[in-house]
Amino acid sequence: ALDFAVATIRRLLGAIPVMGICLGHQLLGRALGARTYRLTFGHHGGNHPVKELATGRIAITSQNHNFAVDAESLDRRRAVITHLNLNDQTVEGFRVLDAPAFAVQYHPEGAPGPHDPAPLFAQFRTLIDQTRLDRRV
């Protein structure tokens, strides 16, 4: 499903900054060649703990999805996993290495921890600003 969206994301990668959220996370993963799979029960509601691997920081997240990106199929030459679900160890975030793009599976805009998403949106703003500067040179 949504092969047209995956193809569009492939074309956009490297052309503009991309931040995938929830379904966007899954589609960006597929655009990089990863597979997705159906979760037994899905992740729904608030209070899902997610660990940011670089800092060890735990965010309490809001989620509503039935699929996950398969960690084993994510090409580590193109992406690095940045976040893990502490309940089941599924991929909750990754950063693209060869384009200004990243994604999170949860809904940072849902803000169950009201300040938890601020660094993600700041990171995206930085990608936008850096892309603008790079294109001026």
Side-chain angles (χ1 to χ4, degrees):
L2 300 176
D3 290 337
F4 71 93
V6 172
T8 299
I9 292 167
R10 279 189 187 124
R11 286 193 304 274
L12 292 174
L13 278 176
I16 62 169
V18 174
M19 177 183 182
I21 295 174
C22 197
L23 179 59
H25 165 88
Q26 296 166 26
L27 294 173
L28 181 55
R30 288 188 49 215
L32 296 172
R35 294 182 304 275
T36 57
Y37 64 94
R38 187 172 184 82
L39 295 164
T40 304
F41 297 107
H43 297 160
H44 304 283
N47 295 328
H48 290 266
V50 171
K51 183 176 185 177
E52 182 180 12
L53 300 178
T55 64
R57 189 167 165 230
I58 309 298
I60 301 304
T61 66
S62 176
Q63 303 201 14
N64 189 27
H65 58 272
N66 291 313
F67 289 82
V69 171
D70 178 16
E72 297 301 316
S73 69
L74 191 61
D75 184 349
R76 301 303 163 84
R77 294 169 296 180
R78 298 217 48 213
V80 61
I81 295 172
T82 58
H83 296 77
L84 286 178
N85 185 299
L86 292 180
N87 290 331
D88 61 9
Q89 301 300 302
T90 53
V91 176
E92 288 285 345
F94 60 86
R95 180 174 43 88
V96 179
L97 298 173
D98 58 359
F102 68 96
V104 291
Q105 178 64 75
Y106 57 94
H107 288 275
E109 77 285 1
H115 304 291
D116 289 349
L120 290 172
F121 292 112
Q123 179 184 352
F124 188 52
R125 179 58 194 239
T126 299
L127 284 179
I128 293 169
D129 292 343
Q130 187 61 49
T131 300
R132 284 182 185 157
L133 289 174
D134 290 348
R135 292 196 175 145
R136 282 190 221 165
V137 174

